[in-house]
Amino acid sequence: VFLRRFEREIEAMERFVHPDAVMIRDSGVTDDLRPYYTMDFIEGESLKTVLRREGKLPADRALHVITRVLRVLDVAHAHQIIHRDIKPDNILLAQVNGRETVKVLDFGVAKLLDLVGDSGNITHGDRVGTPKYMSPEQITGESIDARSDQRMARRVERHAAEPPAEPIEGEVDHGRREKRQDLAHNQA
C-alpha cells in the first residue's frame, strides 16, 4: 500500500505545476530499494497548527487561503487529478517576501481519473480521506469528481473562518448575532 501511494503521489505531482502546490523535484529508489523523493523545502506551518494557536481566521484571511487552495485544485482537476484529502494538515502557510503564501501538500491519496476510467472508482467502496472533511460521496464510497475536492475545501473554510459579522442576506442567523452581543456585553 505504501509503495502504491508513493508512486501515485509522484505521478500526480509530476502531472501538473502550480505555484501554490508543493512540487516534487526528484524521485527514485535507493540502492537498498527504498523509494524516495525530494520536494520543495518551505518554511511554514500547517493551517491546522495556525488554527490551534490563533483560533478561527478573520474572514479576509480565510478567503485568501481557500481561494489559493481552490486555484490549485482547479489546475489539478484540469489534469484529471482529484486530491481526496483536503484538510488543514495539508495546507501550508508560509511567509515569502512579507506576504502570506499558501501551499497544498500531500497528493498521496490522489485519484488519477484517466487511470481508473469514467466511473471514478478504483474499487467499489473505496473510502480515502479524513472523515471530518470528506465529501458525502467519499463517505458512502460512491464515484467522486472535482466537486468532492470542492466540498472538502468548503468544509475547511467553515472550520477555519470566523462567521461574518452580520448574516448574509437570506442566511439563517442561528443566534450568532445574539451570542456576539452577549459576549460584547459581558466583556464591557
Side-chain angles (χ1 to χ4, degrees):
V1 173
F2 168 77
L3 187 55
R4 180 64 193 128
R5 180 179 175 179
F6 173 82
E7 290 168 348
R8 190 174 322 155
E9 183 163 10
I10 297 297
E11 184 172 351
M13 294 306 295
E14 287 177 345
R15 292 175 77 164
F16 81 101
V17 175
H18 191 282
D20 293 332
V22 174
M23 304 307 302
I24 292 178
R25 299 298 175 182
D26 189 24
S27 65
V29 178
T30 63
D31 292 338
D32 57 351
L33 303 178
R34 293 191 326 205
Y36 73 89
Y37 60 84
T38 60
M39 301 173 66
D40 293 332
F41 175 77
I42 300 161
E43 221 170 299
E45 297 179 295
S46 72
L47 178 58
K48 180 179 180 177
T49 299
V50 171
L51 291 172
R52 280 188 177 158
R53 184 182 62 246
E54 299 177 17
K56 291 193 179 268
L57 304 178
D60 59 338
R61 185 175 181 202
L63 180 62
H64 165 74
V65 170
I66 208 67
T67 298
R68 304 309 300 184
V69 170
L70 290 170
R71 287 181 180 168
V72 171
L73 293 176
D74 282 347
V75 174
H77 298 156
H79 287 85
Q80 299 296 303
I81 299 167
I82 308 300
H83 188 286
R84 299 198 303 175
D85 200 21
I86 297 298
K87 61 184 179 182
D89 278 330
N90 289 337
I91 300 169
L92 182 74
L93 305 180
Q95 292 293 320
V96 176
N97 299 325
R99 296 182 68 189
E100 184 169 71
T101 62
V102 178
K103 297 284 185 174
V104 177
L105 312 170
D106 195 8
F107 279 78
V109 296
K111 182 171 277 196
L112 309 177
L113 293 180
D114 59 346
L115 297 181
V116 297
D118 293 335
S119 73
N121 284 330
I122 291 177
T123 60
H124 180 68
D126 183 36
R127 290 181 188 95
V128 177
T130 302
K132 182 176 182 176
Y133 299 99
M134 288 171 74
S135 64
E137 58 274 15
Q138 282 179 284
I139 292 169
T140 60
E142 296 173 35
S143 200
I144 66 165
D145 59 27
R147 292 172 294 185
S148 298
D149 279 350
Q150 293 162 351
R151 286 184 186 102
M152 282 184 283
R154 180 71 176 134
R155 287 181 183 205
V156 169
E157 179 183 31
R158 286 185 192 135
H159 177 76
E162 292 177 350
E166 293 298 323
I168 298 169
E169 189 173 325
E171 181 182 87
V172 178
D173 184 282
H174 298 292
R176 284 183 274 174
R177 184 179 308 143
E178 290 81 11
K179 288 177 188 173
R180 283 191 301 278
Q181 288 172 347
D182 290 345
L183 181 61
H185 177 71
N186 290 336
Q187 290 177 346

